[in-house]
């Protein structure tokens, strides 16, 4: 069942989203060569807990940390460990916070120092595909309009969309219906309604779309070793469009990590 949220629930989700974005911003400020993935995880967890929320990911299906740290060819679900970042890496930080029983979920890919042109292209395309998808979010549009906008743009730019990983509805559960693939047919699928809350998250490879899961049963990497990027916002469907929930309105636009 796809739920719509009441004004009270939406307010809790705004807070959860704000805390999620604050945690990602705190991590972003610490990203540099030499920092370990475990240190980044600790920064996120501290930020979430200090704001009176709970890390959504920790313990979810047995996941051992508060964020996913996915470096270079890792698409999603990288587990923070003692690996340190190097100049030229890219890292996707995926984070969730639960506040008063409601979740926020957001992801962003960051460059560690100077990165290759291929990495910059992949990051730009993936971020743009998120906002092209969001442009289709509005009461009365169909889910396929969102999925199609993401997938078509990604492929037009020479990148690819792994088919096994999708966005999702979100609320009292981190993952609710509907699944939101990063490809699809415009004009098809569920009709979007005011009050739905959705986590839209293009996950993109610079090379071929096939993935494989490492022996830790979490880490998803591109099969061909190509770079991967991931951008995600939790949004509220409104009458005329959408409201991004995973944002901190107290941060000035020029200081924001979110372009
Ligand atoms: Mg996420
Ligand atoms: Mg998500």
């Amino acid at each position: 069942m796809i739920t719509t949220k009441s004004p009270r629930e939406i307010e809790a989700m705004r807070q959860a989203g704000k805390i999620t974005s604050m945690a990602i911003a705190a991590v972003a400020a610490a990203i540099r060569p030499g920092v370990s993935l475990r240190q980044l995880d600790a920064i996120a967890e501290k930020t979430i807990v200090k704001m009176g929320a709970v890390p959504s990911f920790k313990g979810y299906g047995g996941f051992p940390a508060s964020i996913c740290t996915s470096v270079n060819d890792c698409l999603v679900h990288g587990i923070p460990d003692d690996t340190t970042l190097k100049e030229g890496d890219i890292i996707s930080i995926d984070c969730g916070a639960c506040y008063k029983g409601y979740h926020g979920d957001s992801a962003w890919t960051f460059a560690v120092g100077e990165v290759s042109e291929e990495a910059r292209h992949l990051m730009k395309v993936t971020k743009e595909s998120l906002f092209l998808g969001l442009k289709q979010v509005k009461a009365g549009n169909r889910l396929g309009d969102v999925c199609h906008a993401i997938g078509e743009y990604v492929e037009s730019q020479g990148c690819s969309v792994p088919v096994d990983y999708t966005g999702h509805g979100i609320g009292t559960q981190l993952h609710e219906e509907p699944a939101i693939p990063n490809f699809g047919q415009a004009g098809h699928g569920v009709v979007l309604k005011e009050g739905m809350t959705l986590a839209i998250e293009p996950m993109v490879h610079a090379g071929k779309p096939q993935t494989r899961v490492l022996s830790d049963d979490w880490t998803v990497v591109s099969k061909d070793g190509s770079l991967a990027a991931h951008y995600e916002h939790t949004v509220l469907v409104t009458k005329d469009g959408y409201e991004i929930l995973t944002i901190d309105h107290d941060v000035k636009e020029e200081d924001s990590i979110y372009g």
Side-chain angles (χ1 to χ4, degrees), residues 25 250-258:
D250 296 333
V251 174
K252 280 188 283 178
E253 206 172 327
E254 61 266 33
D255 296 331
S256 175
I257 59 162
Y258 298 100

Side-chain angles (χ1 to χ4, degrees), residues 57-215:
F57 295 0
K58 203 168 190 176
Y60 186 89
F63 191 78
S66 295
I67 54 173
C68 301
T69 48
S70 303
V71 179
N72 294 334
D73 63 336
C74 180
L75 177 67
V76 286
H77 305 164
I79 299 173
D81 62 10
D82 293 320
T83 304
T84 54
L85 292 177
K86 309 183 299 300
E87 174 89 18
D89 284 342
I90 60 172
I91 178 169
S92 301
I93 302 295
D94 192 353
C95 181
C98 183
Y99 182 78
K100 293 189 177 166
Y102 291 85
H103 294 273
D105 188 6
S106 182
W108 217 254
T109 302
F110 300 98
V112 183
E114 278 296 310
V115 299
S116 67
E117 197 179 319
E118 186 189 35
R120 283 201 303 273
H121 176 70
L122 172 70
M123 291 169 67
K124 181 167 177 274
V125 167
T126 311
K127 182 160 74 175
E128 284 175 353
S129 76
L130 169 61
F131 287 95
L132 286 170
L134 292 182
K135 248 181 154 168
Q136 297 298 321
V137 174
K138 155 183 179 176
N141 274 12
R142 287 182 182 262
L143 198 58
D145 300 330
V146 179
C147 307
H148 174 77
I150 294 170
E152 172 151 284
Y153 178 68
V154 167
E155 285 180 5
S156 78
Q157 298 302 306
C159 299
S160 72
V161 168
V163 297
D164 295 336
Y165 300 92
T166 69
H168 49 93
I170 180 168
T172 55
Q173 305 293 315
L174 180 59
H175 296 119
E176 298 185 354
E177 287 183 53
I180 308 174
N182 292 309
F183 61 94
Q185 270 183 286
H188 285 68
V190 169
V191 177
L192 301 180
K193 288 203 189 81
E194 231 179 308
M196 285 179 178
T197 44
L198 308 172
I200 295 174
E201 50 179 316
M203 291 159 265
V204 175
H205 285 171
K208 295 203 171 73
Q210 287 77 17
T211 55
R212 72 190 171 93
V213 180
L214 301 189
S215 58

Side-chain angles (χ1 to χ4, degrees), residues 3-20 48 51-57 95-105 169-176 195-197 234 236 245-246:
T3 59
T4 56
K5 275 74 176 179
S6 69
R8 178 192 63 81
E9 294 179 291
I10 290 164
E11 195 42 47
M13 290 196 66
R14 279 194 190 100
Q15 287 303 315
K18 176 179 174 168
I19 295 165
T20 303
I48 291 167
M51 296 299 294
V54 175
S56 302
F57 295 0
C95 181
C98 183
Y99 182 78
K100 293 189 177 166
Y102 291 85
H103 294 273
D105 188 6
I170 180 168
T172 55
Q173 305 293 315
L174 180 59
H175 296 119
E176 298 185 354
M196 285 179 178
T197 44
T234 297
L236 168 71
L245 299 175
T246 35

